[in-house]
Amino acid sequence: MIIDAHTHLFGSKDWWPQWVWDAVSSIQAARSGKPVEFMARHRDESFDSTGNIAIANMDRAGVDKAVVCVVDLGLAVPGEDTKISIEEINRLTCEIVKKHPDRLYFSVGVDPRRRNALEILEMGVKELGAKTVKLYPATGWSPSDRIAYPLYERCADWGVPVNFHTGPVFGPMKSKFTHPLLLDELASDFPDLGIYCTHCGHGSYMEMLAIARARTNIFCDMAAWLAWFYSGEGLEFYRTWRYITNMLGAGRMLFASDQTGPKFTPELKDEYVDWVTAVTQIPDWVRDAGITFSQEELEGYFSKNAIRLLKLD
Ligand SMILES: [Zn+2]
């Protein structure tokens, strides 16, 4: 059983402000060497108002279930909120998830600075059945800012974990808000709240581990770490995966992709399939280098830890 604990899905362009798509297209164009227009066209083909593209991708990669996270980026740039409300985006995402009840789970997205943030949270968890709450501080707030504390209080009461992006983000959002150190205060103030840190801080993973070692309510995934393979550093990836597992403990690692539909690399590789293959079919040369994972660790990584943290059925 493979559970992808952190993915995204977009019914249309209106689910994010235009500046986000422009930023994503130009980053992907820079990475792939293709024109920005090509990336934008490709992106338009991956909007998925039924969830069928997501399911087809999961089938192709051999993933059984996935958590679909709504990301509220509407307040990042003043005056440039999404064309449709975040309440509506959450509702529409939940509708798509419900079309595939045996494959998809829902995670509600909300910016704690919205005046009705608590209502959105409550609707997401109590009415729409969200398994986590996706929070994106890069839009301009610190995870330990008191403005978010009422949300954490509710989540801790309900036993619903919060999910943070950690590590660098594209502009005009600010990476200073996604540094792992900013999670320390909240993790200390809410010891019973499950805090799920996606990407394990990416380049800041040592700081992420330094904090997480002392805060046992922190969980991590290594989504979007595939660049190591493509840059010819495959062995370094496995070594780091092993190291993170040792430092964090195998029970606090989740498998996730951050999948948002097909992405392009310079060689036009299929990143989703490559990522799943890299972790499910560990090459012999990794074992030959003395890097191994026990059956129990892998079962935790691929499903059991997510089932426990997110209370999945
Ligand atoms: Zn993500």
Side-chain angles (χ1 to χ4, degrees):
M1 159 90 87
I2 300 181
I3 299 175
D4 188 339
H6 151 218
T7 69
H8 305 284
L9 185 157
F10 300 92
S12 80
K13 210 171 167 158
D14 291 340
W15 291 25
W16 264 352
Q18 185 56 41
W19 63 264
V20 184
W21 299 118
D22 294 343
V24 170
S25 297
S26 66
I27 287 172
Q28 289 183 333
R31 263 180 86 193
S32 66
K34 305 260 171 219
V36 172
E37 302 70 38
F38 176 85
M39 301 315 302
R41 205 166 50 242
H42 167 68
R43 178 204 63 215
D44 291 348
E45 284 162 11
S46 66
F47 287 125
D48 188 8
S49 59
T50 58
N52 293 342
I53 295 177
I55 297 294
N57 286 339
M58 288 161 66
D59 288 343
R60 219 159 28 88
V63 169
D64 299 286
K65 292 166 187 268
V67 181
V68 179
C69 306
V70 173
V71 188
D72 183 1
L73 301 183
L75 301 186
V77 177
E80 294 201 34
D81 204 341
T82 39
K83 285 194 187 127
I84 49 176
S85 70
I86 189 67
E87 291 91 325
E88 193 58 13
I89 295 167
N90 276 301
R91 246 182 246 117
L92 290 169
T93 305
C94 183
E95 267 172 35
I96 295 172
V97 164
K98 283 191 171 151
K99 287 189 177 132
H100 309 276
D102 50 342
R103 306 294 299 278
L104 301 179
Y105 297 104
F106 170 62
S107 171
V108 59
V110 62
D111 187 317
R113 296 169 300 171
R114 291 197 184 270
R115 100 197 122 65
N116 59 341
L118 278 174
E119 279 165 40
I120 297 171
L121 174 77
E122 186 148 358
M123 176 193 78
V125 174
K126 296 295 177 189
E127 281 176 44
L128 306 180
K131 299 295 183 186
T132 66
V133 180
K134 177 72 179 174
L135 299 167
Y136 215 87
T139 55
W141 54 281
S142 161
S144 291
D145 192 314
R146 291 303 179 270
I147 198 158
Y149 270 43
L151 275 76
Y152 304 148
E153 279 160 19
R154 297 281 170 96
C155 289
D157 283 351
W158 296 333
V160 173
V162 289
N163 168 322
F164 286 99
H165 173 95
T166 59
V169 289
F170 50 81
M173 293 189 287
K174 304 291 183 288
S175 301
K176 68 175 180 178
F177 294 116
T178 61
H179 196 277
L181 185 59
L182 297 178
L183 293 154
D184 182 58
E185 195 176 346
L186 114 88
S188 166
D189 289 345
F190 294 91
D192 299 326
L193 176 66
I195 299 170
Y196 171 14
C197 302
T198 64
H199 313 295
C200 195
H202 249 152
S204 306
Y205 73 93
M206 291 295 267
E207 286 96 334
M208 184 79 251
L209 294 175
I211 301 302
R213 290 274 286 171
R215 309 288 179 215
T216 53
N217 49 336
I218 289 182
F219 295 70
C220 294
D221 73 37
M222 292 176 76
W225 275 58
L226 196 64
W228 292 62
F229 288 92
Y230 294 146
S231 58
E233 299 293 336
L235 191 57
E236 266 328 289
F237 163 76
Y238 290 104
R239 231 189 268 290
T240 310
W241 178 16
R242 184 64 260 173
Y243 178 75
I244 290 176
T245 306
N246 291 346
M247 296 298 279
L248 201 60
R252 291 200 275 146
M253 290 280 285
L254 278 67
F255 167 73
S257 68
D258 198 22
Q259 156 88 348
T260 55
K263 291 179 187 165
F264 278 133
T265 65
E267 303 82 19
L268 300 183
K269 285 180 176 168
D270 185 339
E271 290 191 19
Y272 196 41
V273 170
D274 285 354
W275 175 232
V276 177
T277 306
V279 288
T280 53
Q281 295 167 38
I282 301 173
D284 287 342
W285 48 263
V286 176
R287 230 164 293 137
D288 294 346
I291 303 163
T292 57
F293 295 85
S294 72
Q295 194 55 33
E296 198 186 345
E297 286 175 332
L298 293 173
E299 280 172 11
Y301 181 64
F302 287 116
S303 61
K304 287 185 176 168
N305 298 341
I307 291 171
R308 205 176 68 245
L309 175 67
L310 310 180
K311 300 185 175 66
L312 305 179
D313 27 77

